[in-house]
Amino acid sequence: MFVADNAKPIPLDEESHKVKMAVKLRTEYGSVLHMPTLKENLREKGGSNTGDPYGHKQYSGNQGQELEYMITGTHPYPPGPGVALTADTKIQRMPSESAAQSLAVALPPSQSRLDANRTAAGVGDIYRHAGVSERSQPPGVPMAMMEAGGNKNSALMAKKAPTMPKPQWHPPWKLYRVISGHLGWVRCIAVEPGNQWFVTGSADRTIKIWDLASGKLKLSLTGHISTVRGVIVSARSPYLFSCGEDKQVKCWDLEYNKVIRHYHGHLSAVYGLDLHPTIDVLVTCSRDSTARIWDVRTKASVHTLSGHTNAVATVKCQAAEPQIITGSHDTTIRLWDLVAGKTRVTLTNHKKSVRAVVLHPRHYTFASGSPDNIKQWKFPDGNFIQNLSGHNAIINTLAVNSDGVLVSGADNGTMHLWDWRTGYNFQRVHAAVQPGSLDSESGIFACVFDQSESRLLTAEADKTIKVYREDDTATEETHPVSWKPEIIKRKRF
């Protein structure tokens, strides 16, 4: 019972101590161990040093001689493995200015500046590796002057805070038409490729087709037994696809105005759908936490994309990789490999549900909308670009045109318009609800630009479709950009 005497130190194992010190040397000074060293005083005294470049053996022969400099750790350890801890070896001496400059590597001018920046060690590096901050450098010596060979180390230069570039001017958008006819919330909207008409789906269980130029009702389609949550018109065939909270996905033949196919498989409400632009594939997303890929012709379920842990609110397709993008109530965005049916990348930056995703028509980028932020991302790996902050509401829908106007529509009826490149919010719109509606029925569920990108259509909770267009009379003088090149504080995540 008296074997474990806690007050008595454990005898030092020589082998393990050597290993420990070698690892410590490699870890703390790995970035400078390759550098040539110049022992000035030793040369004067005729001392030679031919030890191994990492300094494992060369220290023991030099203990009795005074070094011009000695780079040691931040703790009173010997300068190398196997060196006894004495009053001399535990001293941490700062490098003198001349010795520090001799330590720095001066690259020949023939090498690229990139290599110089990457490999040239300045005095700041030497001080840093000596365990002392750069502030403790000798007073009165400018850092730029202490750099070896005239190489400026960008890490030591004071970095200028990023400023927002001047945004492109966009004319303001104004409401010019309100279309009514639905008997329930208008949940989804799509414009046909020929730009002659558009289609809406509603909580009144109907799908309505409207003339785009006049806003007149052309056709009503019935068949869903619950709210219609998604509609899209095919550019490759005369088909209209719809999905709803009745778990059904339908294909309508617009020559006969009848359902010709059903796609069975989802276990809960289907929240959204999209068509692949180049192949006959339909992708749907559902409250059952999955997205499904369907062969349009055979009605077969090609893949079930599982991985989300909550309802999948939105799905988008594109011809380039990754071909499928989903946003979910589990706060993640997933980029999918269509061929394998597996996740390529999961983006976890959002803190709240992602209800909207939009792909830029020209750039290889996309945006996602959530109550915490609108975020922009780069394909193919989902690299974060920037946050668009300020629309503090539940964002139900996003739309973007080729001119770089991003529109975000929210559950409280507000609509913000942004400059895509800079993230500048150039307009905020809150249209009045339809007379007879409650103010609480102010909400935007979907928005889309028409094919000419000159009109913006929104599907709203007051049972109307609102049509906006650019103000032709506006100029940069009448509606100047109230922009200041202030320092931007961007949250990276």
Side-chain angles (χ1 to χ4, degrees):
M1 64 187 288
F2 298 108
V3 169
D5 186 356
N6 293 326
K8 190 176 180 183
I10 299 167
L12 186 67
D13 179 47
E14 200 67 34
E15 196 62 36
S16 64
H17 182 66
K18 281 185 181 178
V19 171
K20 173 186 169 184
M21 295 310 299
V23 169
K24 194 173 180 65
L25 255 170
R26 201 68 71 94
T27 305
E28 291 198 10
Y29 308 117
S31 56
V32 293
L33 284 175
H34 68 283
M35 292 165 50
T37 56
L38 179 61
K39 307 268 189 296
E40 293 172 349
N41 284 7
L42 289 182
R43 281 192 179 176
E44 289 169 14
K45 295 175 184 178
S48 64
N49 197 347
T50 55
D52 121 69
Y54 289 102
H56 289 257
K57 303 266 173 72
Q58 62 193 17
Y59 293 100
S60 54
N62 300 331
Q63 286 181 41
Q65 298 168 351
E66 184 65 16
L67 295 182
E68 174 73 16
Y69 61 87
M70 184 185 295
I71 298 178
T72 62
T74 54
H75 304 286
Y77 286 125
V83 179
L85 183 60
T86 66
D88 282 331
T89 56
K90 73 178 181 182
I91 292 174
Q92 300 179 36
R93 299 191 181 95
M94 292 307 302
S96 70
E97 185 185 336
S98 59
Q101 287 193 10
S102 67
L103 262 177
V105 179
L107 291 176
S110 59
Q111 288 190 325
S112 69
R113 184 167 184 176
L114 182 67
D115 288 336
N117 283 340
R118 187 172 67 244
T119 59
V123 175
D125 296 317
I126 296 163
Y127 275 90
R128 202 177 307 116
H129 286 292
V132 182
S133 70
E134 291 170 30
R135 290 196 185 116
S136 62
Q137 64 186 359
V141 183
M143 189 61 79
M145 293 297 292
M146 293 167 69
E147 292 300 329
N151 291 319
K152 287 190 179 177
N153 193 334
S154 59
L156 303 177
M157 304 295 286
K159 283 191 180 171
K160 197 177 165 188
T163 57
M164 181 189 282
K166 186 171 183 180
Q168 179 189 345
W169 182 80
H170 300 282
W173 292 70
K174 62 180 184 181
L175 177 69
Y176 84 102
R177 178 174 287 154
V178 178
I179 302 168
S180 56
H182 275 296
L183 303 176
W185 289 352
V186 188
R187 295 301 306 244
C188 50
I189 189 163
V191 180
E192 64 99 12
N195 216 37
Q196 299 297 309
W197 46 269
F198 67 94
V199 56
T200 54
S202 167
D204 64 10
R205 309 190 296 274
T206 65
I207 298 165
K208 290 185 185 286
I209 295 176
W210 313 80
D211 184 68
L212 187 59
S214 64
K216 299 278 176 61
L217 179 66
K218 295 178 74 167
L219 185 68
S220 290
L221 300 172
T222 57
H224 280 282
I225 55 174
S226 190
T227 302
V228 182
R229 291 293 294 267
V231 287
I232 190 165
V233 186
S234 173
R236 297 165 58 85
S237 51
Y239 295 154
L240 163 71
F241 295 87
S242 65
C243 64
E245 292 179 5
D246 51 11
K247 311 178 198 174
Q248 295 184 23
V249 181
K250 296 175 183 283
C251 173
W252 305 77
D253 188 327
L254 295 175
E255 292 176 350
Y256 299 97
N257 299 331
K258 289 183 179 174
V259 178
I260 56 167
R261 297 189 186 107
H262 285 95
Y263 300 89
H264 295 286
H266 278 297
L267 307 176
S268 191
V270 187
Y271 282 167
L273 78 173
D274 199 14
L275 283 165
H276 195 284
T278 55
I279 54 176
D280 285 328
V281 159
L282 173 71
V283 186
T284 55
C285 62
S286 167
R287 199 175 68 188
D288 62 14
S289 306
T290 67
R292 283 179 180 260
I293 302 171
W294 311 89
D295 185 316
V296 168
R297 293 173 188 165
T298 65
K299 302 180 284 186
S301 179
V302 180
H303 285 302
T304 300
L305 306 179
S306 54
H308 284 293
T309 56
N310 207 329
V312 186
T314 180
V315 64
K316 291 289 179 225
C317 285
Q318 63 175 1
E321 290 290 343
Q323 296 182 54
I324 298 171
I325 300 96
T326 55
S328 167
H329 288 289
D330 66 7
T331 76
T332 67
I333 301 159
R334 284 179 182 253
L335 315 181
W336 300 85
D337 184 332
L338 173 63
V339 177
K342 292 182 178 163
T343 305
R344 282 170 56 110
V345 183
T346 304
L347 306 174
T348 58
N349 302 35
H350 280 293
K351 296 180 179 66
K352 296 191 177 179
S353 302
V354 181
R355 296 178 182 231
V357 167
V358 67
L359 315 184
H360 194 284
R362 290 185 180 168
H363 303 161
Y364 197 38
T365 55
F366 71 105
S368 57
S370 172
D372 58 359
N373 264 316
I374 300 167
K375 294 181 186 288
Q376 287 178 339
W377 315 84
K378 271 185 202 169
F379 285 127
D381 299 318
N383 297 323
F384 176 79
I385 301 173
Q386 66 179 350
N387 280 327
L388 280 62
S389 303
H391 203 170
N392 301 316
I394 297 170
I395 295 171
N396 286 325
T397 178
L398 293 171
V400 64
N401 67 10
S402 302
D403 198 30
V405 175
L406 174 67
V407 179
S408 56
D411 217 43
N412 61 1
T414 59
M415 186 169 72
H416 286 201
L417 290 92
W418 314 77
D419 178 48
W420 178 274
R421 185 176 62 88
T422 60
Y424 170 71
N425 179 206
F426 69 89
Q427 190 183 359
R428 299 184 179 190
V429 180
H430 192 169
V433 295
Q434 187 77 340
S437 300
L438 300 171
D439 284 339
S440 59
E441 284 190 301
S442 176
I444 300 172
F445 291 116
C447 66
V448 66
F449 286 99
D450 73 343
Q451 303 299 338
S452 69
E453 300 182 335
S454 61
R455 300 185 196 91
L456 173 66
L457 299 95
T458 62
E460 310 218 357
D462 61 359
K463 307 173 190 171
T464 66
I465 301 113
K466 294 188 172 75
V467 187
Y468 294 82
R469 67 180 171 198
E470 289 182 338
D471 187 350
D472 298 332
T473 61
T475 63
E476 203 161 350
E477 286 72 37
T478 59
H479 291 77
V481 174
S482 57
W483 159 86
K484 293 174 187 172
E486 73 275 5
I487 294 173
I488 47 173
K489 297 174 183 171
R490 277 188 193 147
K491 288 192 287 184
R492 300 311 285 174
F493 295 100

